[in-house]
Amino acid sequence: MGLVDQLVNQPHYTLVNQPRENDILSHKELFDSIPEEYLSHKEKYENAIRKTVLYYRLMQKYQNYKEGSTILDETRANYRNLVSFAVFKDYPPLMLHNGMFIPAIAGQGTPEQQKHWLKRAKNMEILGTYAQTELGHGTFIRGLETTAEYDPSTEEFVLHSPTLTSYKWWPGGLGHTVNYCVVMAQLYIRGRHHGMQPFLVQLRDEATHMPLPGVKLGEIGAKLGLSTVNNGFLAFEHHRIPRDRMLMKNAQVLKDGTFVAGPSSKLAYGTMIYVRVIIVNGMANLMAKAATIAVRYSAVRRQSQIKPSEPECQILDYVTQQHKLLICIATSLAFSTCARWLWDVYTGVMGQMESGNMDHLPELHALACSLKVVSTMDVSGLVERCRLACGGHGFMHSSNLPYTYGLATAACTYEGENTVLLLQTARSLVKAWQKGSKGKPLSPTEAYLMDKSPVPKWENTLDGIIAGFRRVSAGKVQDCVSKIDKLVKMGTSYEDAWNQTSVRLVAASEAHSRAVILATFRSEVSRAAAALSPPLSRVLHQLVHLYCVYWALERLGDLLLYTSIAERDVQELQQQYEDLLQKIRPNAVGLVDAFDLRDEILNSTLGAYDGRVYERLMEEALKSPLNAEPVNQSFHQYLKPFMHGKL
Ligand SMILES: CCCCCCCCC/C=C/C(=O)SCCNC(=O)CCNC(=O)[C@H](O)C(C)(C)COP(=O)(O)OP(=O)(O)OC[C@H]1O[C@@H](n2cnc3c(N)ncnc32)[C@H](O)[C@@H]1OP(=O)(O)O
Ligand SMILES: Cc1cc2nc3c(=O)[nH]c(=O)nc-3n(C[C@H](O)[C@H](O)[C@H](O)COP(=O)(O)OP(=O)(O)OC[C@H]3O[C@@H](n4cnc5c(N)ncnc54)[C@H](O)[C@@H]3O)c2cc1C
């Protein structure tokens, strides 16, 4: 069990008989004879489907969930299942089936609807996705155009895409893979609008897989990454579905067309919260993968000399390389720790909501937004840093760093574009500030905003740094509130004042997120480390220390503005940081080995456990179809006539 799991694994998340990696990875037919980079767009998809079917059969065979685990535990576990990285460098075409289709039914369906549809979905009798985004709208959900008009005379909904911009656009698996879908559409009854509601819609005939009448489907084309996810488009032409296909856990439509509103219109957005929570853990996995590849390669690669009299050194001995990479190890640990903490918050709030208590939903939404943003932003930046730290070989697909970057950077956009989500958290912070200023109690993660004590003397300790980030966040929020108030007093509308302050609001939101992450990482490691051996506990505390000092140095401007940190403190922090690099360097390879990622999962010429980098690079190069013959036909067809002036 890897370091991450040792540190923060909680029994009720552990899968009984977690898919035994050896069993699954022993099925060699799961793996590509030639690298998929050399397949066509269409072949890549077809190959991904071939592997998907094999992979899911094996998962069903070996995966046996612990009694009492919920469907959300199970789908989340699927995302923790790293074995899929061995089979798919990009995510599989059924990523959305587990990632959103099943969770949407679980979160939005009535018990009867869950009973019927979850069984079929879990058994892969039907395959689905989640279609919300349209060609014309992704962020502004209330602006989505797909309509669902209720017809009480037939007790049906009529789904329609009135414009080109209303075409559903992006959903994974939608192009050619799934035959069902949860569609988010604007509900109308007798001309009256009742907001966005989820509808479970059959798209293709279950026997022939042909699109049903009134359903137009296709694939949206080549992308930066996720080339086998089969993102597609969908349009309805007055397509009728039975009334019981609206997922009615929250809001209902009765036979006669009476609309029964749910406790909150925002509950229809619930699937997005779930996925944002999942993404944090997914980012930790991607960071562990990239860090393992880059650190191991940096231990194998020798280049130049530190002293002329000595042989070429491991590039990991360059302090600049340690600066680039050791934070990556700490970051993976920070986000896997925070992901499990956030999952506990999520399941707690879901439990309260089952009994009608919605009080903590806004805080959960704000936390899910901020951790989704910071984990995707940091990890996509650091995966790219890992690639750059490996020189030219990092640029090879066979290193698996470019693919890993594609997976990480996509998450900065999907499930809520990062700026938009930071503004959502900012909305919660400003409301908390206004609430706290009236003496009302704040949620646990926002309570520090009301700390009105004088700014203390700066301390170069973990407590001092975490307190400093809280001061920065509170100071930024206060500045935003003051600017907005000032603009409104000058006659600006609140909305315009908000927009004019939005750059600062995004910064305040990020500062809050970092304060939450530092504090959570530190407290969770302290809690878990008590049960670990002293040497391991020491190394983990060094990683927490490195992470906190790194971010203090990265955000010095803010600390200088809002805390009493002085020049001498900064010099000392920089020295602390460099000392920590030196302390952690001897354990760097051991730490990434402790992520426990097998070679098949790393899928990388640079990161393999045996360190045979050059042999693997050559083996992969020889798989290029171009190397099948010494002279390519284009020489005779084009080059030769050209060079002889005949073309
Ligand atoms: C690696 C592993 C791979 C895991 C697998 C991952 C696969 C992922 C594939 C990708 C799938 C997708 O992208 S699916 C599509 C994802 N799309 C999005 O995320 C769209 C992002 N946009 C939005 O969420 C919305 O438009 C948002 C920005 C919040 C604005 O919505 P509205 O205009 O309706 O709301 P506003 O007018 O701003 O008012 C906001 C109020 O609503 C509340 N609110 C807003 N969203 C809420 C929510 N989800 N739950 C609760 N409450 C919410 C706020 O707290 C505010 O409350 P008050 O302050 O009290 O009023
Ligand atoms: C790989 C991938 C997979 C996806 N899978 C799915 C899926 O399975 N199902 C699904 O429904 N969707 C999916 N999406 C769509 C995704 O949810 C949207 O791309 C995302 O919500 C952003 O919406 P948009 O692309 O329309 O950008 P827009 O909303 O048009 O935003 C464009 C830019 O405008 C700015 N902006 C927009 N609104 C604001 C604002 N309020 N304040 C400040 N700036 C703003 C931001 O800079 C933003 O980047 C996927 C997207 C990707 C990239």
Side-chain angles (χ1 to χ4, degrees):
M1 186 183 282
L3 168 73
V4 170
D5 286 328
Q6 266 179 27
L7 175 68
V8 291
N9 193 44
Q10 293 165 25
H12 56 289
Y13 292 152
T14 310
L15 299 176
V16 173
N17 302 331
Q18 173 132 344
R20 290 186 295 277
E21 290 180 358
N22 286 322
D23 293 319
I24 291 187
L25 299 179
S26 63
H27 291 260
K28 292 307 167 205
E29 67 277 22
L30 273 174
F31 303 102
D32 301 327
S33 48
I34 64 162
E36 60 182 25
E37 291 83 22
Y38 302 120
L39 301 178
S40 71
H41 182 67
K42 186 165 174 288
E43 287 165 335
K44 276 181 193 167
Y45 169 71
E46 290 158 354
N47 185 45
I49 291 294
R50 174 187 69 79
K51 295 191 288 187
T52 296
V53 169
L54 275 170
Y55 175 72
Y56 276 90
R57 272 284 166 269
L58 290 166
M59 286 287 285
Q60 284 172 335
K61 183 179 165 197
Y62 295 123
Q63 200 145 289
N64 161 23
Y65 290 96
K66 200 172 172 185
E67 269 318 299
S69 70
T70 69
I71 190 82
L72 293 183
D73 282 329
E74 293 177 20
T75 49
R76 174 180 178 274
N78 272 311
Y79 282 98
R80 286 189 59 206
N81 189 316
L82 294 166
V83 173
S84 69
F85 282 134
V87 180
F88 308 96
K89 278 187 169 178
D90 265 330
Y91 290 141
L94 290 191
M95 176 173 99
L96 269 290
H97 177 75
N98 279 309
M100 291 198 81
F101 180 65
I102 288 178
I105 298 170
Q108 306 286 326
T110 61
E112 300 71 31
Q113 288 175 320
Q114 291 188 46
K115 190 162 177 286
H116 174 74
W117 293 107
L118 285 181
K119 181 168 163 292
R120 297 200 71 199
K122 270 187 69 183
N123 295 338
M124 316 294 268
E125 294 163 30
I126 60 171
L127 304 174
T129 186
Y130 178 88
Q132 174 176 294
T133 304
E134 294 171 357
L135 195 54
H137 287 92
T139 293
F140 188 52
I141 299 179
R142 285 182 289 134
L144 293 171
E145 298 174 85
T146 301
T147 58
E149 177 91 36
Y150 183 62
D151 179 352
S153 65
T154 60
E155 295 182 24
E156 291 172 317
F157 293 103
V158 182
L159 292 173
H160 186 57
S161 308
T163 59
L164 174 62
T165 49
S166 69
Y167 278 38
K168 291 301 178 186
W169 191 276
W170 272 114
L174 184 62
H176 298 82
T177 315
V178 304
N179 52 9
Y180 281 79
C181 179
V182 170
V183 175
M184 297 300 283
Q186 304 284 6
L187 172 62
Y188 287 89
I189 305 174
R190 300 187 185 88
R192 189 158 169 232
H193 178 230
H194 294 285
M196 287 293 294
Q197 302 299 338
F199 298 85
L200 202 151
V201 187
Q202 182 176 353
L203 304 175
R204 293 176 177 270
D205 180 288
E206 287 195 27
T208 66
H209 210 54
M210 280 296 288
L212 296 180
V215 175
K216 194 191 293 182
L217 289 163
E219 193 244 346
I220 65 172
K223 307 177 291 286
L224 177 152
L226 282 76
S227 57
T228 53
V229 168
N230 192 232
N231 300 90
F233 64 76
L234 157 66
F236 296 109
E237 182 62 41
H238 304 294
H239 180 65
R240 286 178 170 267
I241 59 172
R243 182 177 69 90
D244 67 1
R245 295 295 173 86
M246 176 174 145
L247 296 176
M248 297 201 202
K249 176 179 181 181
N250 297 313
Q252 293 87 38
V253 174
L254 308 184
K255 287 183 179 175
D256 65 357
T258 306
F259 178 73
V260 180
S264 157
S265 63
K266 301 303 179 193
L267 291 179
Y269 295 1
T271 309
M272 290 183 278
I273 289 196
Y274 164 75
V275 178
R276 289 165 190 158
V277 168
I278 290 288
I279 286 171
V280 182
N281 195 59
M283 290 304 112
N285 290 341
L286 292 180
M287 189 76 263
K289 198 163 82 157
T292 304
I293 293 167
V295 168
R296 282 186 180 164
Y297 177 67
S298 300
V300 170
R301 181 71 166 183
R302 289 181 177 275
Q303 198 68 205
S304 316
Q305 299 150 300
I306 291 178
K307 293 192 192 85
S309 57
E310 288 180 356
E312 288 191 84
C313 68
Q314 292 169 300
I315 56 176
L316 194 52
D317 287 336
Y318 293 115
V319 178
T320 50
Q321 193 80 351
Q322 295 161 22
H323 170 60
K324 290 175 191 174
L325 299 181
L326 300 189
I327 185 62
C328 298
I329 301 173
T331 297
S332 177
L333 215 45
F335 288 134
S336 59
T337 310
C338 288
R340 283 171 177 72
W341 167 79
L342 184 61
W343 179 255
D344 279 344
V345 173
Y346 172 80
T347 48
V349 172
M350 290 302 118
Q352 290 162 7
M353 284 169 58
E354 284 303 317
S355 47
N357 174 0
M358 311 273 289
D359 296 351
H360 295 100
L361 179 60
E363 182 188 29
L364 172 64
H365 168 55
L367 281 173
C369 286
S370 48
L371 264 69
K372 180 269 184 188
V373 171
V374 175
S375 62
T376 56
M377 176 170 68
D378 287 3
V379 169
S380 42
L382 289 173
V383 168
E384 173 64 354
R385 180 189 288 191
C386 286
R387 180 185 73 76
L388 292 167
C390 295
H393 300 330
F395 196 66
M396 297 297 295
H397 267 312
S398 69
S399 75
N400 205 5
L401 288 168
Y403 275 108
T404 306
Y405 174 72
L407 298 181
T409 193
C412 293
T413 302
Y414 65 55
E415 219 51 62
E417 191 276 333
N418 279 357
T419 305
V420 169
L421 296 189
L422 280 178
L423 287 167
Q424 282 294 301
T425 301
R427 183 180 172 125
S428 172
L429 294 170
V430 167
K431 292 180 76 167
W433 184 273
Q434 291 160 344
K435 223 169 107 180
S437 304
K438 293 174 189 142
K440 291 183 184 163
L442 299 185
S443 66
T445 51
E446 293 172 339
Y448 72 85
L449 289 171
M450 288 302 115
D451 175 359
K452 303 295 186 194
S453 61
V455 176
K457 182 178 173 315
W458 175 267
E459 286 179 17
N460 271 344
T461 62
L462 296 192
D463 286 337
I465 292 169
I466 291 167
F469 269 83
R470 287 175 172 154
R471 286 280 173 181
V472 168
S473 173
K476 284 178 175 283
V477 172
Q478 182 173 16
D479 287 354
C480 291
V481 172
S482 309
K483 179 174 163 72
I484 291 170
D485 289 350
K486 192 169 153 219
L487 286 169
V488 169
K489 283 193 180 95
M490 289 160 58
T492 308
S493 72
Y494 186 84
E495 292 76 9
D496 284 338
W498 177 270
N499 190 30
Q500 287 172 37
T501 313
S502 54
V503 172
R504 300 184 196 202
L505 287 162
V506 164
S509 188
E510 186 199 327
H512 168 72
S513 312
R514 297 223 179 269
V516 169
I517 291 165
L518 292 181
T520 304
F521 185 24
R522 197 258 176 119
S523 62
E524 292 293 301
V525 168
S526 302
R527 183 184 57 75
L532 299 173
S533 65
L536 180 53
S537 173
R538 184 171 55 253
V539 169
L540 291 174
H541 280 104
Q542 286 171 352
L543 287 173
V544 174
H545 195 175
L546 180 88
Y547 189 80
C548 292
V549 173
Y550 176 92
W551 281 107
L553 293 170
E554 286 288 303
R555 292 290 181 273
L556 269 185
D558 289 341
L559 293 173
L560 285 164
L561 262 181
Y562 295 100
T563 72
S564 60
I565 193 169
E567 185 188 342
R568 175 181 25 79
D569 302 316
V570 174
Q571 301 299 352
E572 196 192 294
L573 265 186
Q574 183 63 36
Q575 189 52 53
Q576 261 189 36
Y577 178 72
E578 288 159 3
D579 294 346
L580 280 163
L581 292 178
Q582 220 170 358
K583 282 178 190 162
I584 298 170
R585 162 65 185 94
N587 289 312
V589 176
L591 281 167
V592 295
D593 287 352
F595 284 129
D596 205 14
L597 298 173
R598 295 175 49 140
D599 286 352
E600 298 92 334
I601 292 170
L602 289 174
N603 231 322
S604 167
T605 45
L606 307 188
Y609 189 75
D610 62 12
R612 291 174 59 251
V613 167
Y614 302 116
E615 295 84 349
R616 289 172 185 274
L617 280 168
M618 182 49 80
E619 283 159 21
E620 284 305 305
L622 294 178
K623 290 178 185 172
S624 165
L626 274 174
N627 289 326
E629 54 207 353
V631 178
N632 182 270
Q633 62 185 8
S634 58
F635 171 74
H636 300 291
Q637 219 170 346
Y638 303 109
L639 276 179
K640 189 174 176 183
F642 171 69
M643 290 158 76
H644 296 171
K646 297 193 180 70
L647 195 64

